[in-house]
Every structure is written in structure tokens, then in C-alpha cells.
Amino acid sequence: MLRDATAADLPAIAAITAYYVEHTAIHFGYQPPTVAELAAAWAARDRHAWLVATAADGAVIGYAKSDRFRARAAYDRSAELGVYLAPDHTGRGVGRQLIAALIARLAAADFHLAIAGIALPNPASVALFERAGFTPVGVFREVGWKFDAWHDVGFWQRRLAPADRDTPAP
Ligand SMILES: CC(C)(COP(=O)(O)OP(=O)(O)OC[C@H]1O[C@@H](n2cnc3c(N)ncnc32)[C@H](O)[C@@H]1OP(=O)(O)O)[C@@H](O)C(=O)NCCC(=O)NCCS
């Protein structure tokens, strides 16, 4: 099941994120986010969406959220997406559901462009976003240093507004 995240979900979101921070270079953090840091980001999410996927018993098994791509005003209607599942819940279509729901929410909120930055290699994430209609933009080589190695990050994008509509700025 998918639903909007609430403040009560933030410890579960922190725990899922912590796994990827501590064990992989998929997430570029060196320290797992604290619940307080996530609470501040959640409170400041504005038009961005934070969604969680839950198991039959209600436990949070993954989340997807969006954030500003960059700070300056002209980027207001571009959203960068993030999606993380608990490691024992991957490969069963949950990521696809979360990204489809997040895209629908962003389009309804009049965002113009969705962006995914993926530390490479990550075949599951590349497949997920390409199946969801994202196209590759380019790769920053050696842009991140983690676990004693440089890592490349590829970017993918998907336009959210219909191709025949040049949406005016809000
Ligand atoms: C990336 C991630 C969110 C994908 O979610 P998922 O639930 O595992 O993926 P799904 O089962 O929804 O599959 C989505 C598509 O990717 C494909 N896919 C999934 N895992 C794959 C893999 N390891 N290699 C290649 N393709 C894969 C599926 O076949 C599916 O394509 P289809 O619709 O044509 O069948 C999830 O694996 C995850 O949390 N990974 C670790 C964290 C991560 O990498 N987050 C993204 C950071 S950019």
C-alpha cells in the first residue's frame, strides 16, 4: 500500500536510509540522517511529496520523495526524486509503484521536470527510471568520494507537463 508519509514514519525512513549510507555508495551521505534532520526536511517540503510503501502489517518498507533540484528561483518547478526500499523488499514492483505515484503527484502540483541522479553503477535504479519514462542526460565523472573511491553520477530526466502544453510560470 502507498500513502503520504507522516511524522510518525520518519524513524522508519531514517532506518532505511541508514542502511544505504552505511553499506553502499548508492547514497552519498557519510552519516545517516537523524530523525530530527528528516523532520526539518519534511516540514519544509512545501509542494514536494513524501510517499511511503507499507507491508500488510503496516510496516514501512520503502519511500519515495522529491526535493528542489537546485536552490535558485528558476529551478522552482524542477524536482529531484529519491527512492529507497528496505533491502529485503526490492525487486517486487514496489519501486515502480512509488515512482509512478510520485510522478502523478508532481505533475498535479504543476512541476515541469522530474530529475533522477543515480550513483553508478545501479542497474535496478536505471531500469526503474527508464521504465518510468526518464531519458539519460549525462554523467558527472568522479563527482563523489566515498569508501576510498571516486564515483560517477548519471542524471536522467522526464518532462511532467504534456509535450503540447507550454505551461506558464505560476
Ligand atoms: C532502485 C529501487 C528503488 C527499485 O525498486 P524495485 O522495487 O526494486 O524495482 P521494481 O521491482 O519496481 O522494478 C522496476 C524495474 O526495474 C527492473 N529491475 C529491478 N531490479 C533490477 C536489477 N537489479 N537489474 C536490472 N533491472 C532491474 C525491473 O525489471 C522493473 O522493470 P520492468 O517494469 O520492465 O519489469 C530498489 O531496488 C532500491 O531501493 N534499491 C536500493 C536503493 C536505490 O538504489 N535507490 C535509488 C537511488 S538513485
Side-chain angles (χ1 to χ4, degrees):
M1 191 186 113
L2 304 187
R3 60 171 173 78
D4 285 302
T6 70
D9 297 320
L10 298 177
I13 290 173
I16 290 169
T17 311
Y19 174 83
Y20 294 102
V21 171
E22 290 172 346
H23 300 286
T24 79
I26 287 172
H27 190 296
F28 272 6
Y30 284 5
Q31 299 294 332
T34 65
V35 173
E37 287 166 348
L38 286 176
W42 183 74
R45 68 194 182 286
D46 193 21
R47 294 178 298 130
H48 291 276
W50 288 38
L51 304 175
V52 293
T54 57
D57 65 358
V60 172
I61 58 171
Y63 70 90
K65 64 185 182 70
S66 66
D67 198 355
R68 293 187 70 83
F69 174 58
R70 297 187 76 183
R72 290 190 180 136
Y75 292 112
D76 270 359
R77 291 166 70 204
S78 293
E80 184 164 10
L81 281 51
V83 53
Y84 292 88
L85 306 186
D88 49 345
H89 289 278
T90 60
R92 295 182 216 161
V94 177
R96 182 172 47 226
Q97 291 175 42
L98 278 166
I99 287 301
L102 186 56
I103 286 170
R105 291 287 295 272
L106 293 172
D110 207 29
F111 281 96
H112 186 73
L113 197 75
I115 295 164
I118 305 174
L120 300 173
N122 188 339
S125 187
V126 170
L128 172 74
F129 283 104
E130 292 196 343
R131 302 288 198 277
F134 287 65
T135 54
V137 177
V139 177
F140 285 113
R141 304 283 174 196
E142 302 185 355
V143 71
W145 174 261
K146 188 167 179 185
F147 296 149
D148 297 324
W150 289 111
H151 300 277
D152 298 346
V153 173
F155 281 85
W156 276 254
Q157 73 169 59
R158 176 186 151 152
R159 185 175 161 136
L160 297 167
D164 60 350
R165 189 162 66 99
D166 190 11
T167 50

